[in-house]
Amino acid sequence: MDTSVLPAGLPPEPATSRASLSAEGRKRLFPDATDAEWADWRWQQRHAVRGMAQLERYVPLTADERAGVQETSALFRIGISPYYLSLIDPEHPFCPVRMQSIPVRAEARIRPGELADPLGEDKTRPEECIVHKYPDRVLFLALDTCSVYCRHCTRRRITQGGVAELSKEQLRRGVDYVRRHPEVRDVLISGGDPFMLSDSRLEELLAPLSEIPHVEMIRIGTRVPVCLPMRVTDSLAKTLRRYAPVFVVTHFNHPKEVTPEAREACERLVDHGVPVENQAVLMRQLNSDARIIKELSHLLLRSRVRPYYLHQMDVAEGCEHLRTPIAKGLEIIEQLRGHTTGLAVPHLAVDLPGGGGKVTLQPDYAVEYGARETVFRNYKGERYAYPEPEETDCTCPYEGVWQAQARTYGYRKG
């Protein structure tokens, strides 16, 4: 392997070390599973771990985890695919996969400031499956099912329920809502995890949405490439490509999750013309370190996945033990900027509690503002002056002409 082209700061990847994670876990936990069964996402779902008795057969729980399973049972369900379970370190309670999938006692405690609906979605929910919070885009909640129920889930009020795909009537009402609102150009399908739908059910949603003239793009939020990569089949990838532009937004939080299987799933999507971006969530003692985020970004870029957002943890009930101070996220971004390629530096995003919407933060590099120049500091702390121009008229004289021509020349849908 040519190590001269590897991103700076990341050692060469051993040929077998990452491959052994899931392979060794599978051999240890599911020795009787055939290759065909292991590669079948429906088999994975049928054999998911969903309770204390099953979990204790596979992982020696700590007292804190045992209490967490018991005390959160009525609050938020457990579900861990065999594949994701195979990545858990049975010896270390701070294994990042373990922390995301097995509850601890702190999760049962609701702290001041935590909210059942931390993003204020329910008050902007005109239909059961539609959240319309931003002017030009809607969130389409397709189902309440996931391959793994993440302990940091911001939408646990929805995914705590029973297995429920959209009914045909709900689907129709959701699509009709989008059709009636010409300001909507972007539809984000989420849930639950939309990739838990069969290809045909997913197509029943993609097809009518893509036919709406004012819908310019569709995004799908999914953790399947991370937790159930065998679900990403050629058939699924071809279905998504048929309704391009479709963007997949996935959710890797730690380098340990970027296994050969996960990388293959992401690359299969990209190879079929489906762009993939990643939104990580910053979690205390799990990935709250610039070195970890840097390694994660580099591994994702190797698989042609763009590190897009680093999310500050939402104030969902039972999640404070995982939240970091805002200052920690800014510190991480500052430690990345200038020390790795810009593509590897995600946007630090905060979804304001109660429905204020998403804002992004970055370290303040401007030191002094003046009429003639603005003074900045760079990533080394050195000062540089940027001379301000004499002319400040920023109107765009051609804009009226272009607005008239854009549709004629095919730059707009419809």
Side-chain angles (χ1 to χ4, degrees), residues 366-376 383-389:
V367 178
E368 297 173 9
Y369 292 92
R372 294 188 175 182
E373 67 178 22
T374 299
V375 179
F376 295 89
R383 292 166 65 97
Y384 290 84
Y386 178 92
E388 295 290 351

Side-chain angles (χ1 to χ4, degrees), residues 184-185 206-218 243-245 406-407 410-414:
V184 174
R185 52 172 292 279
L206 292 173
L209 286 173
S210 68
E211 291 171 357
I212 298 173
H214 54 264
V215 173
E216 298 176 5
M217 59 182 287
I218 296 172
Y243 299 101
R407 193 176 299 279
Y411 285 87
R412 295 180 185 169
K413 186 177 178 181

Side-chain angles (χ1 to χ4, degrees), residues 185-201:
R185 52 172 292 279
D186 176 7
V187 178
L188 170 59
I189 303 173
S190 186
D193 197 313
F195 282 179
M196 299 309 294
L197 297 170
S198 66
D199 292 357
S200 59
R201 286 285 283 166

Side-chain angles (χ1 to χ4, degrees), residues 310 326-335 337-338 342 345-350 359-366 369 376-377:
L310 177 61
I326 295 289
K328 172 52 71 172
L330 285 167
E331 175 189 310
I332 289 173
I333 297 301
E334 181 145 19
Q335 290 174 346
R337 180 66 66 186
V345 183
H347 297 289
L348 177 63
V350 183
V359 297
T360 55
L361 301 176
Q362 65 174 344
D364 190 356
Y365 294 101
Y369 292 92
F376 295 89
R377 64 178 178 88

Side-chain angles (χ1 to χ4, degrees), residues 52 56 61-73 102-108:
M52 173 80 84
E56 286 197 301
L61 299 179
T62 66
D64 192 24
E65 289 170 331
R66 193 170 291 106
V69 173
Q70 293 170 338
E71 295 179 23
T72 63
S73 61
I102 300 178
V104 293
R105 193 168 206 166
E107 191 180 316

Side-chain angles (χ1 to χ4, degrees), residues 114-119 122 154-158 315-317:
E114 292 186 331
L115 302 170
D117 178 17
L119 306 185
D122 290 344
T154 194
R155 214 168 276 138
R156 56 179 57 205
R157 72 192 187 282
I158 294 172
V315 291
E317 291 180 340

Side-chain angles (χ1 to χ4, degrees), residues 96-264:
V97 175
R98 186 167 177 161
M99 290 178 69
Q100 291 180 77
S101 51
I102 300 178
V104 293
R105 193 168 206 166
E107 191 180 316
R109 179 182 171 191
I110 299 174
R111 316 292 178 93
E114 292 186 331
L115 302 170
D117 178 17
L119 306 185
E121 293 175 336
D122 290 344
K123 63 186 179 184
T124 55
R125 201 169 172 180
E127 297 288 347
E128 181 69 20
C129 61
I130 294 289
V131 176
H132 194 172
K133 185 164 66 172
Y134 295 100
D136 71 335
R137 51 203 183 277
V138 298
L139 174 66
F140 204 121
L141 300 172
L143 73 171
D144 75 349
T145 306
C146 296
S147 59
V148 171
Y149 295 96
C150 304
R151 308 325 301 179
H152 55 281
C153 181
T154 194
R155 214 168 276 138
R156 56 179 57 205
R157 72 192 187 282
I158 294 172
T159 56
Q160 71 180 357
V163 176
E165 296 183 6
L166 278 177
S167 69
K168 290 188 180 295
E169 175 61 17
Q170 288 173 317
L171 180 72
R172 184 193 64 77
R173 289 171 64 90
V175 172
D176 282 349
Y177 179 88
V178 176
R179 189 177 289 115
R180 295 196 312 271
H181 288 78
E183 71 275 19
V184 174
R185 52 172 292 279
D186 176 7
V187 178
L188 170 59
I189 303 173
S190 186
D193 197 313
F195 282 179
M196 299 309 294
L197 297 170
S198 66
D199 292 357
S200 59
R201 286 285 283 166
L202 185 58
E203 191 161 21
E204 286 177 10
L205 184 54
L206 292 173
L209 286 173
S210 68
E211 291 171 357
I212 298 173
H214 54 264
V215 173
E216 298 176 5
M217 59 182 287
I218 296 172
R219 291 178 290 156
I220 299 178
T222 176
R223 196 142 145 83
V224 152
V226 185
C227 301
L228 193 68
M230 50 284 296
R231 169 66 186 101
V232 183
T233 61
D234 284 338
S235 174
L236 174 63
K238 289 175 182 177
T239 298
L240 300 180
R241 182 64 181 87
R242 210 157 31 241
Y243 299 101
V246 174
F247 295 80
V248 168
V249 184
T250 191
H251 181 30
F252 290 91
N253 290 319
H254 192 277
K256 188 174 186 179
E257 297 174 318
V258 191
T259 64
E261 297 93 333
R263 292 174 66 174
E264 182 182 352

